Amino acid sequence: MNNEVLSQGAHRILEVAAHLFARQGYAGVSINDIAAEVGVSKANVFHHFASKEALYLAVIDAACDEFKTELECLKNHERDVALGLKQVACQHLMRLLSNPDPARLVLREVFKGESGIDSSQVAKILHRNFALLVEQIERGQVSGQFRRDTDPAMVAVTLIAQNIFFFQSWEILRQFPEFQNLDCAERLSAAAFDSLSKGLFAK
Amino acid sequence: MNNEVLSQGAHRILEVAAHLFARQGYAGVSINDIAAEVGVSKANVFHHFASKEALYLAVIDAACDEFKTELECLKNHERDVALGLKQVACQHLMRLLSNPDPARLVLREVFKGESGIDSSQVAKILHRNFALLVEQIERGQVSGQFRRDTDPAMVAVTLIAQNIFFFQSWEILRQFPEFQNLDCAERLSAAAFDSLSKGLFAK
DNA sequence: GTCTATATTCGGATAGAC
DNA sequence: GTCTATCCGAATATAGAC
């Protein structure tokens, strides 16, 4: 969607919209607010984005973009898919924690559908990244590093669920004595990935 | 906390409070509202619960109670810890989906700390269940069914993260083609547990 | 008009009678 | 256990002075 190069102006609108939507929700922000904050006319906003919905979807799309980049550069790790995945997961979690606004925006939409926009459009955006992740796991399977009798989609969703859950309940989880010794995101993420890759059952 | 037998009146207050807090949030509900809805005086509410905070924590506590029961009856599965865990996870997810209000209340508090209550009190309540879960996984380790070189706490948190994530993003996830063939909670939960127990790595 | 002071309302909490 | 009455503080509304 936002693969086309955005003009300077469109980019600034997108940035401001992301900020406002994250803080005040979909209904709490008017195109007027955004235009005023950017310092352009309402008409200009509509010139760049067909509707409030389209702008909002573009914001979600942009929020997913960094993860996509991280995932795509993973393809370069030709050798060790596991190591690449582990790094991506770690990067992802650290980004969530250090820059929570975009994530909160997306999660609010996913969990509550707060904008009222047809959820299939949101699903489509999110699925692009999900598919990339599944693809990488499948690559690990054909390379022989990963076992072939697990569902790649299930592994993918578990990886994401771990990170989202860590992100959301960070404040509570860090108070649990079991996590006292891995209170930094890197170590937590690494431990979570190891646990997932080793599995539960004894051989 | 609510192990003591609650009087009839206190129980009704708790129920109504749970319903109202779930729908309107902590700040959106006054003791007056609750008292009026129950049909008792405000003072009576304070007779049963020392403060609004205490009542709210009692509601959270009660919301966690069912999961605790499920977990405790798991101890009876002396033989197959894995099977027991799988069933508990499945039950948990199905309960989340069929009765989302209490979960939403707890999650709002965990994720956003919306009441402003000292999060360590919330952490303490939640940790009781978490510790039970970890305990069961450790039991699987000593019985030899589970490998001993994984962190039980990490497995526990992953199990919970899966269910919470499924619960929260059910509407989106079910639209992903990869999940089209497991669109009922039982199958999804089972597949997730299998994936977690088998692990990612080929032997 | 705007600012400040006063009044009213509302939510949390307590005391004491029944 | 339940009630009525009441207190305190914060927020909100309102009215009158400037």
Side-chain angles (χ1 to χ4, degrees):
Chain A
M1 174 176 276
N2 65 349
N3 280 344
E4 324 97 54
V5 186
L6 286 178
S7 69
Q8 187 93 71
H11 191 72
R12 287 194 51 225
I13 292 169
L14 205 59
E15 266 181 16
V16 169
H19 183 240
L20 292 179
F21 281 138
R23 290 170 44 107
Q24 290 153 240
Y26 183 76
V29 178
S30 71
I31 296 288
N32 242 326
D33 297 337
I34 296 167
E37 180 83 18
V38 178
V40 299
S41 72
K42 197 156 73 158
N44 184 266
V45 175
F46 280 113
H47 168 72
H48 291 292
F49 301 94
S51 62
K52 186 180 178 185
E53 259 194 40
L55 173 55
Y56 182 72
L57 287 173
V59 166
I60 290 181
D61 196 270
C64 294
D65 220 48
E66 289 190 55
F67 186 52
K68 194 170 100 188
T69 314
E70 291 162 15
L71 269 170
E72 275 172 346
C73 87
L74 186 149
K75 287 182 183 164
N76 304 339
H77 272 84
E78 284 302 336
R79 296 313 206 92
D80 195 333
V81 183
L83 188 61
L85 272 179
K86 189 171 178 172
Q87 284 172 359
V88 166
C90 179
Q91 262 187 293
H92 183 233
L93 179 59
M94 298 211 304
R95 186 165 47 76
L96 289 178
L97 291 170
S98 65
N99 181 25
D101 268 9
R104 277 203 256 271
L105 175 75
V106 175
L107 292 180
R108 267 218 309 272
E109 185 57 36
V110 170
F111 297 165
K112 300 198 287 222
E114 74 151 14
S115 69
I117 290 178
D118 172 22
S119 75
S120 73
Q121 296 187 256
V122 180
K124 227 168 80 183
I125 295 175
L126 294 169
H127 186 262
R128 285 209 307 270
N129 278 343
F130 186 74
L132 285 175
L133 185 55
V134 170
E135 201 179 292
Q136 292 308 308
I137 294 165
E138 283 167 348
R139 204 161 64 81
Q141 286 181 320
V142 301
S143 84
Q145 189 176 28
F146 296 161
R147 53 192 298 167
R148 292 186 190 170
D149 61 345
T150 38
D151 182 354
M154 204 49 76
V155 176
V157 82
T158 303
L159 276 170
I160 295 170
Q162 280 179 333
N163 268 359
I164 299 297
F165 189 73
F166 289 150
F167 166 58
Q168 291 183 113
S169 41
W170 186 252
E171 284 307 315
I172 296 290
L173 232 45
R174 61 185 306 178
Q175 297 182 51
F176 286 11
E178 292 87 352
F179 293 102
Q180 224 93 115
N181 49 331
L182 16 91
D183 61 340
C184 79
E186 288 102 320
R187 245 177 302 170
L188 182 63
S189 177
F193 187 85
D194 285 342
S195 152
L196 186 58
S197 47
K198 286 192 292 190
L200 190 52
F201 283 143
K203 293 134 193 180
Chain B
M1 174 176 275
N2 64 350
N3 279 344
E4 324 99 53
V5 185
L6 286 178
S7 69
Q8 185 94 68
H11 191 72
R12 285 191 55 222
I13 291 169
L14 203 60
E15 266 182 16
V16 169
H19 184 240
L20 292 179
F21 281 139
R23 289 171 45 107
Q24 290 153 239
Y26 183 76
V29 178
S30 72
I31 297 289
N32 239 329
D33 296 336
I34 296 167
E37 180 82 19
V38 179
V40 297
S41 72
K42 199 158 66 153
N44 184 261
V45 175
F46 281 108
H47 169 72
H48 289 292
F49 301 94
S51 64
K52 188 182 180 183
E53 260 194 41
L55 173 55
Y56 183 71
L57 287 173
V59 167
I60 290 182
D61 197 270
C64 294
D65 220 47
E66 289 191 54
F67 186 52
K68 194 171 100 188
T69 313
E70 289 161 16
L71 269 170
E72 276 173 344
C73 87
L74 187 149
K75 287 183 182 163
N76 304 338
H77 273 84
E78 284 303 336
R79 295 314 206 91
D80 194 333
V81 183
L83 189 61
L85 273 178
K86 190 171 177 172
Q87 284 173 359
V88 166
C90 178
Q91 261 188 294
H92 183 233
L93 179 59
M94 298 211 303
R95 186 163 48 76
L96 289 178
L97 291 169
S98 66
N99 182 26
D101 270 8
R104 275 203 258 271
L105 174 75
V106 174
L107 292 180
R108 267 216 310 271
E109 184 59 34
V110 171
F111 297 166
K112 299 198 287 224
E114 75 151 15
S115 68
I117 290 177
D118 171 21
S119 76
S120 73
Q121 296 187 256
V122 180
K124 227 169 80 184
I125 294 175
L126 294 170
H127 186 262
R128 284 209 307 269
N129 278 343
F130 186 75
L132 285 175
L133 185 54
V134 169
E135 201 180 290
Q136 291 308 307
I137 293 165
E138 283 168 347
R139 204 161 64 82
Q141 286 182 321
V142 301
S143 85
Q145 188 175 30
F146 297 161
R147 54 191 300 166
R148 292 185 191 171
D149 61 345
T150 39
D151 181 354
M154 204 49 76
V155 175
V157 82
T158 303
L159 275 170
I160 294 170
Q162 281 179 333
N163 268 359
I164 299 297
F165 189 73
F166 289 149
F167 166 58
Q168 290 183 115
S169 43
W170 186 253
E171 284 306 315
I172 296 289
L173 231 43
R174 61 185 305 178
Q175 296 181 52
F176 285 12
E178 292 88 352
F179 294 102
Q180 225 90 119
N181 48 331
L182 15 91
D183 61 339
C184 78
E186 287 102 319
R187 246 177 301 169
L188 183 63
S189 177
F193 187 85
D194 285 343
S195 152
L196 186 58
S197 47
K198 285 192 293 188
L200 190 52
F201 283 143
K203 294 136 194 180

